[in-house]
DNA sequence: TAGATTGTTAATCGATTAACAATC
DNA sequence: TAGATTGTTAATCGATTAACAATC
């Protein structure tokens, strides 16, 4: 199988979302051209992207929405339940624990960890907050591959290392640092300040162009 | 001035962050080569990127960290205070209102809006939650260019339109929809589920490669 | 069969890297 | 002046778009 470009992978969740919407609207068949118009991309790009994973369409017909939706879900690994843990039960961690879209995509928060005595032991969205000391024991007895980190900068890499050592395979990192981890641990950064700065740049740019 | 590639803009906040760290560590001068090693990119890319905005360096010397930091901050528009409003005072909105990194980058939450009577009137992080009906009046009397949207899907585009009509120039959108707004409104999407799905894909990929 | 639309190859475009002359 | 390192041009690489033969 040829290597799939990173750009394609980043577009998959959006295809998945549009296909879900089509199903909701009871549209069961779609051509690359019509989907391209809805999504604001080229039909060529859609066909190229999908063909990285195999021929999901049919000449003269287009794509069967339900089938394509299932296939992309399978590629993304969201067709079955995915457990995850949240490290850092601050405001952001709590918000993510209750975030409905995670559950909708099959991601299930099975534990939270913190060290703050005023939070440890409490229950958030039905999840008891454990002390971070319990992390290793928990990972030994529970199958989890994903950890979400909403921690202060200075403890983030250490906790990420402990996750990796405990068998975690991927980290969604909200801390404002770049993680330094073994190659086989997948990392996805969400740097909220970066998004805000990029937005700020775009605004300034617009104003100058006017 | 030649057009700045989108890829360069998305890298600017990271440069900004690394330069801030250098200053904290009292490193006042740096070559593109040394910065490239710290950041894990090529020195050539750094020089190309920076030269989109002008010659910030000096041959034989490198870059003056403080000066470069200021310049990039100025390009990003984060050297002065930026007011923003948050629409949707749910868990995520509340977490963002308290998010320390926004304040650190000069972004100041000056108001929050919601329609839920159990939240409206309450104070979060020192900010009173107003009713969404007050949005237009508020925008008339307060200078705000940025709105952060943490709203349910079905009301998001309508509220975004109201923001745009009220003079908002840029929107940081956390809702799981693509906004359809006038061209002159800058949009930056943060789709948390997409990040999680991409991570899930990467993990699955890793496991197959092993 | 004729029409439609994919899968795929080729052409274009843009972004990254390499190389080196300019210059501090 | 000699050494270092930028700014910038040229070469490479990758991603997007266009075109069309294959085929349902």
């Amino acid at each position: 199988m040829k290597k799939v470009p990173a750009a394609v992978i980043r577009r998959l969740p959006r295809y998945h979302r549009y296909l879900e919407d089509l199903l909701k609207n009871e549209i069961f068949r779609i051509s690359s051209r019509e989907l391209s118009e809805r999504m604001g991309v080229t039909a060529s790009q859609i066909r190229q992207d999908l063909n990285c994973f195999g021929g999901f369409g049919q000449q003269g017909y287009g794509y069967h929405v339900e089938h394509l939706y299932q296939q992309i879900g399978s590629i993304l690994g969201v067709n079955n339940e995915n457990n995850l843990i949240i490290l850092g039960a601050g405001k952001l961690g709590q918000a993510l624990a209750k975030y409905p879209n995670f559950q909708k995509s099959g991601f299930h928060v099975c534990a939270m960890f913190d060290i703050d005595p005023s939070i440890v032991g409490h229950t958030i969205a039905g999840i008891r907050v454990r002390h971070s000391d319990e992390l290793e024991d928990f990972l030994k007895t529970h199958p989890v591959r994903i950890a979400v980190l909403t921690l202060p900068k200075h403890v983030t890499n250490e906790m990420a290392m402990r996750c990796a050592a405990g068998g975690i395979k991927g980290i969604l990192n909200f801390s404002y640092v770049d993680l330094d981890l073994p190659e086989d641990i997948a990392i996805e950064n969400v740097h909220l300040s970066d998004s805000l700065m990029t937005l700020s740049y775009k605004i300034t740019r617009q104003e100058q162009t006017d």
Side-chain angles (χ1 to χ4, degrees), chain A residues 19-179:
Chain A
L19 291 166
E20 192 182 353
D21 284 349
L22 288 174
L23 282 180
K24 268 190 202 135
N25 292 313
E26 297 184 346
I27 296 167
F28 300 115
R29 165 187 164 177
I30 197 154
S31 68
S32 57
R33 190 179 55 73
E34 207 200 320
L35 187 57
S36 75
E37 281 161 12
R38 287 171 181 260
M39 296 183 68
V41 299
T42 64
S44 205
Q45 180 167 81
I46 291 176
R47 294 205 298 278
Q48 280 280 27
D49 283 0
L50 297 180
N51 266 81
C52 292
F53 304 99
F56 297 138
Q58 197 173 328
Q59 280 101 330
Y61 174 91
Y63 297 88
H64 185 66
V65 177
E66 169 76 32
H67 178 243
L68 189 54
Y69 177 71
Q70 289 299 328
Q71 290 292 318
I72 293 180
S74 163
I75 291 162
L76 288 170
V78 296
N79 284 356
N80 25 24
E81 279 289 306
N82 281 295
N83 281 329
L84 62 80
I85 57 175
I86 297 178
L87 270 61
K91 294 294 164 197
L92 187 55
Q94 293 182 27
L96 294 175
K98 292 171 183 165
Y99 193 57
N101 283 339
F102 281 179
Q103 280 133 64
K104 264 184 48 189
S105 311
F107 295 98
H108 172 249
V109 182
C110 66
M112 296 183 77
F113 296 88
D114 207 301
I115 54 163
D116 184 343
S118 71
I119 301 172
V120 172
H122 285 236
T123 298
I124 294 159
I127 304 141
R128 191 168 62 82
V129 179
R130 293 157 204 263
H131 194 281
S132 299
D133 291 346
E134 296 176 42
L135 177 64
E136 280 79 3
D137 281 347
F138 182 87
L139 290 176
K140 267 179 209 152
T141 48
H142 297 77
V144 198
R145 297 188 307 167
I146 298 175
V148 176
L149 269 52
T150 62
L151 294 162
K153 273 175 91 152
H154 60 283
V155 298
T156 299
N157 209 74
E158 186 212 326
M159 293 305 287
M161 295 281 270
R162 285 174 58 186
C163 286
I168 289 288
K169 297 297 178 204
I171 288 175
L172 187 66
N173 174 42
F174 285 81
S175 302
Y176 208 34
V177 283
D178 294 317
L179 296 179

